[in-house]
Amino acid sequence: MRIHNFSAGPSQLPLEVLKQAQDELLSYQNNGFSIMEISHRSKYFEDLLNEAKEDVKQLYKLDDNYDVIFIQGGASMQFSLIAMNYSLDNLSCAYVDTDVWTQKALNEAKLAKINAQFVASSKDSGYKFIPKIPEDINASYLYICSNNTVQGTQYKQLPKSKSPLVVDASSDFFSKELDFSNIAVLFGGVQKNAGIAGIACMIVRKDFYERSKQKELPLMFKYSTYVDNNSLYNTPSSFAIYIFALQMKWLKKQGGLNKINELNTQKAKIIYDILDNSNFYTCKAAKEDRSLMNVCFKTPNEELDLKFHTQAAKEGLIGLKGHKIVGGLRASLYNSCDFDKINALANYLIKFEKENR
Ligand SMILES: Cc1ncc(COP(=O)(O)O)c(C=O)c1O
């Protein structure tokens, strides 16, 4: 039996993807071997990788000005590499503070001895909203985290900026179409919304490829190495790329990113409506900046929060505990969270309130 899983990441995968992986575990496309057991330089694996890249480009409607690469080390590894690859000598790097994931990114840039600082922050409000960002910042790049997994806030529109945008999309990857006119890099660990742990996917614009090409860095730290070698400079995390490839096909089958965004909006609305219409639950994030992916909320006190998620787990709903930094509760409603799960959570929210008001 499958349980209703609301974990923030790694998180649930679509059942279809799991079933296909199960079917092909012993014999990939009826070839008598699993994808984990063959050379990453074989035609089987290269075809799979190339098709996944093509699907990424189709889903985000990208032209050949962008390359797609896969790299190990998760999103956190990219925090330092981004600064090392894309900072320009004469311009500092600008970061927007929306809490822990941008703080970590800035910190890693500094540890790599790169000139970088916050240019906007919503810290004073307790990260309730997405801060206003001056448009005229002239920086090597403007770094944002599009969805704040811990606080439950999300950019509804990407900021307008004079500087090229670098976006950590780990927790809203492939959840909606994006205007790429100013995106130089979109990246994320894929284990929340597009697969399993083991890789980060990076979409990189050609001019940023050139920046990285010019840098004197060890080859494994240089993004241009991954572009030049089709992400096969060394042995990649092949099973993670395989699951990612299946997930891209699944997304296309759902109707693409506009359709998935429509569904994500409907799903989140069901849950937020219950929270908004209640005097029992509270949601910290400002309404206009609330995340469609991570719904963060609280009951009237910490004991009830604890009771909420422990009782939920007994009733078949897991992963509802908030991040340790903020406490409270969090329901992650990623792409693969279907309406059955949403309805189960909705019913549980209503029932728990009635029983504990
Ligand atoms: C927005 C965001 N960025 C980065 C990370 C770090 O990802 P990883 O564990 O792949 O390094 C996370 C993890 O939860 C995240 O939510």
Side-chain angles (χ1 to χ4, degrees):
M1 189 199 99
R2 298 276 296 163
I3 210 159
H4 296 307
N5 181 356
F6 299 94
S7 302
S11 56
Q12 61 180 319
L13 293 167
L15 198 54
E16 264 176 77
V17 167
L18 283 173
K19 283 197 165 149
Q20 189 172 344
Q22 183 182 41
D23 286 348
E24 293 187 326
L25 198 65
L26 298 185
S27 183
Y28 173 65
Q29 294 184 344
N30 296 321
N31 285 303
F33 50 74
S34 113
I35 197 73
M36 291 180 283
E37 301 170 299
I38 46 155
S39 169
H40 54 293
R41 309 211 180 275
S42 65
K43 188 170 160 15
Y44 303 103
F45 190 75
E46 276 204 64
D47 284 353
L48 179 151
L49 178 88
N50 290 334
E51 216 169 303
K53 285 169 55 172
E54 216 28 65
D55 287 342
V56 169
K57 286 178 137 189
Q58 278 180 27
L59 283 163
Y60 274 126
K61 302 196 165 84
L62 300 172
D63 59 23
D64 287 340
N65 205 22
Y66 289 89
D67 272 306
V68 179
I69 61 172
F70 301 102
I71 180 164
Q72 296 179 45
S76 301
M77 173 78 117
Q78 315 322 316
F79 294 164
S80 50
L81 296 190
I82 280 169
M84 287 155 70
N85 278 265
Y86 301 137
S87 57
L88 297 171
D89 287 343
N90 49 347
L91 280 178
S92 72
C93 305
Y95 284 70
V96 178
D97 178 18
T98 44
D99 201 12
V100 56
W101 296 114
T102 49
Q103 284 161 9
K104 287 193 176 203
L106 177 68
N107 198 36
E108 292 293 316
K110 287 185 171 164
L111 286 170
K113 307 273 180 277
I114 304 296
N115 179 9
Q117 58 269 310
F118 282 133
V119 292
S121 172
S122 52
K123 188 173 181 180
D124 289 348
S125 76
Y127 299 109
K128 267 190 195 160
F129 57 84
I130 300 293
K132 292 266 168 299
I133 306 163
E135 279 185 31
D136 58 351
I137 288 164
N138 190 19
S140 290
Y141 56 78
L142 178 71
Y143 182 104
I144 64 164
C145 175
S146 52
N147 181 76
N148 305 295
T149 329
V150 171
Q151 296 287 355
T153 57
Q154 182 178 26
Y155 287 78
K156 297 293 149 171
Q157 303 274 304
L158 294 178
K160 289 198 170 52
S161 170
K162 200 172 146 182
S163 308
L165 278 181
V166 172
V167 185
D168 172 0
S170 292
S171 50
D172 63 356
F173 227 2
F174 300 97
S175 68
K176 59 181 176 182
E177 286 192 4
L178 290 172
D179 171 10
F180 268 77
S181 54
N182 197 28
I183 297 180
V185 179
L186 184 79
F187 79 99
V190 304
Q191 66 272 19
K192 298 173 191 302
N193 225 4
I196 59 171
I199 48 166
C201 172
M202 303 196 69
I203 299 168
V204 181
R205 205 170 66 191
K206 289 264 155 66
D207 56 323
F208 267 52
Y209 161 79
E210 290 301 333
R211 286 193 192 186
S212 126
K213 187 97 183 150
Q214 304 308 320
K215 295 276 185 179
E216 276 188 32
L217 290 169
L219 289 180
M220 285 294 286
F221 294 179
K222 236 169 119 89
Y223 287 133
S224 58
T225 304
Y226 294 81
V227 174
D228 291 344
N229 294 281
N230 198 21
S231 301
L232 296 170
Y233 174 73
N234 75 328
T235 317
S237 187
S238 50
F239 194 70
I241 293 174
Y242 163 69
I243 298 287
F244 175 87
L246 295 186
Q247 187 115 355
M248 293 303 105
K249 293 276 177 248
W250 178 83
L251 279 169
K252 286 172 77 176
K253 228 169 118 188
Q254 304 315 299
L257 299 187
N258 265 344
K259 183 68 196 170
I260 211 86
N261 181 42
E262 202 181 298
L263 297 174
N264 286 333
T265 308
Q266 288 169 15
K267 290 181 323 192
K269 185 174 183 314
I270 294 174
I271 302 303
Y272 281 124
D273 279 353
I274 293 173
L275 300 176
D276 289 344
N277 291 324
S278 139
N279 294 323
F280 181 79
Y281 299 111
T282 46
C283 244
K284 186 173 85 174
K287 268 191 184 174
E288 62 279 17
D289 293 332
R290 285 194 308 207
S291 170
L292 298 187
M293 301 284 107
N294 309 102
V295 178
C296 297
F297 60 102
K298 288 187 171 172
T299 65
N301 61 56
E302 282 178 18
E303 286 101 280
L304 281 174
D305 287 346
L306 177 68
K307 186 173 176 194
F308 182 98
H309 64 76
T310 43
Q311 187 177 315
K314 286 186 196 138
E315 296 187 23
L317 293 86
I318 62 160
L320 289 164
K321 188 175 174 197
H323 191 280
K324 60 182 184 305
I325 296 178
V326 291
L329 300 158
R330 170 174 59 178
S332 297
L333 318 178
Y334 297 128
N335 290 339
S336 49
C337 178
D338 58 26
F339 281 92
D340 273 355
K341 292 186 178 63
I342 295 290
N343 291 335
L345 177 60
N347 291 337
Y348 180 74
L349 279 162
I350 294 166
K351 180 174 86 108
F352 190 85
E353 175 173 352
K354 259 195 208 140
E355 288 170 359
N356 294 280
R357 211 175 4 217

